[in-house]
Amino acid sequence: MLGLMQQRPLLLSSLIEYAERYHGETEIVSRLLDGTIHRSTYRQVAARARRLAGALRRLGVGYGDRVATLAWNSFRHLELYFGVTGAGSVLHTVNPRLFPEQIHYIIDHAEGGYVFFDLSFIELVEELAPRLPHVRGYVALCERHEMPAVKVPNLLCYEDLLAAENEEYDWPEFDENSASTLCYTSGTTGNPKGVLYSHRSQMLHTFVAMAADVMAVSARDSIMLIVPLFHANAWGLPFAAAATGAKLVLPGMRLDSESIYTLMRDEGCTLAGGIPTIWLNLFTWIEQNRERLNLSDIKLTRVLSGGTAVPRSTIEKFQTLFGTYLLHAWGMTETSPIATMGSLLPKHAGYDLQARYDVQALQGRSIIGCEVRLVDDAGKELPRDGQTVGELQVRGPWVISGYFKGEGGQVVDQDGWFRTGDVAAITPDGYVQITDRAKDVVKSGGEWIGSIEIENLAVAHPAVHEAAVIAARHPKWQERPLLLIHPKPGAVVTKDEMLQFLSGKIVKWWMPDDVVIVDALPHTATGKLLKTKLRQDYGDWLERHSVDARAQA
Ligand code: AMP
């Protein structure tokens, strides 16, 4: 027997409608490209999103058509989030930090009809336009008087498009399984692949994202959105913000620590989301400017960190400097992205801070709606005992079922499990500990060494800004860990000091065979350590320097 409840489709337009009706005066604060602060409200964002939907209709952008964006976090990009999806078209957020060749591939592959771009991407757009046959027009995200002299076909002005429409637009109703947004994975090997979300998947993700044990987003929050709108739906924060009426603070392209710090302070931010590199830079900057800062100005109650493992030392700094709880999350573009979240259990209430940081350093607990499990090479399920390490798999209503246009073929098994490519352990409580990407593990004499744990310990050294551990080839053990250190500005650290610092904190056979001090470490367009490049450059380091392997215990 079927239930007798209403089949109202789960559509993203309902979020902005809600925010407009009940939180119309709540602010959306943006730092513009020229550094000035722009203030808008949910009422204005909603009204302008409706005008945008009208403009798209006039441009002939229909249901299911892709609309690409090359833009930073600002009110106009937020309007596109709601205007494009609400109209039934598909918002395709493109990561402008990728190589132009990848950006070209992605926009071409998605076959979008229009590209909306921030003025900082004029040159990029000019370079790409002659090779994008599907694109019918380019919309500059600016006022008429700011229009650039850019040589692209059919150049339009965003504010002109909106001014030509009126606010009387009713969001259409359609199937909740319709595509809503499209994000491409960064793809360090091979071409990027498209992850196509649906209204239903994003609405379910939103409901869970708001929950107390997930991000606990509420109308009382002021959310600093450092994670870009072009990276995995900005972790679902814009939708969760509209669904609760939380204030949004959008830092634009100014992601230096001083700009972030002052904006968080001035806008009373209570929650911020960003990758660990942002936090590492922030604390290095705070150390350098400690005397002139009043840290009690920062009102953050929690920060959300994901994308790569956050060092335990960062968790500790947030707690001791600001009294802020760091929520460590794990997820992927393919999981919308939230899959696990680092909230605590009742049993942790009695923990001292050091023991609590250990729990926070794990990648978070399994949440309702997104199942996780471990399997071995043969696909056999492994125990959740916190010790056994295997490949992490996920499934759930906001996990991918296949890539856009079938790229990559069948990516889930017959039971819906998606192979993440991450290597992890799961505790009986459901906390996931990522030890590596499968392709980054160090296999020493057939035994796995978790690079993430060593990196985490290394950055706790006061002179270390960032650390990377890679597998370096070794004549006897096949691979041994090599530690690369990027010191803090002005700081000096030696190999012996580093090894002494690690000694006793990890088992002897995990100790790096050598330590290389470098000026910088390479990152991907989403801020992850670019280990493929490091392996290319340093993979033969031990052979070249004939460093003796430490005895394996
Ligand atoms: P992306 O699709 O760009 O968001 O990348 C997803 C990948 O980032 C995952 O498969 C992990 O390898 C990595 N990742 C995300 N969050 C974490 C985390 N908290 N700790 C370690 N790795 C992470």
Side-chain angles (χ1 to χ4, degrees), residues 231 306-309 328-334 363 422 437 526 528:
H231 186 197
T308 60
H328 190 183
W330 171 86
M332 311 175 74
T333 306
E334 288 89 336
Q363 270 76 10
D422 283 334
R437 279 299 286 168
T526 51
K528 299 181 206 310

Side-chain angles (χ1 to χ4, degrees), residues 16 28 85 102 124 159 187 196 216-218 229 235 243 273 278 314 343 360 368 379 406 408 426 456-457 482 503 552:
I16 194 66
I28 309 297
T85 59
Q102 288 175 307
L124 178 63
E159 291 299 335
L196 189 60
V217 180
S218 86
L229 287 167
W235 300 347
I278 294 282
T314 302
S343 45
Q360 286 176 261
I368 187 68
I426 304 177
N456 233 319
L457 289 166
L482 176 71
S503 164
Q552 278 203 325

Side-chain angles (χ1 to χ4, degrees), residues 485-500:
I485 296 288
H486 172 198
K488 285 184 184 159
V492 179
V493 63
T494 63
K495 167 184 171 178
D496 287 345
E497 261 178 90
M498 274 323 294
L499 290 179
Q500 209 175 347

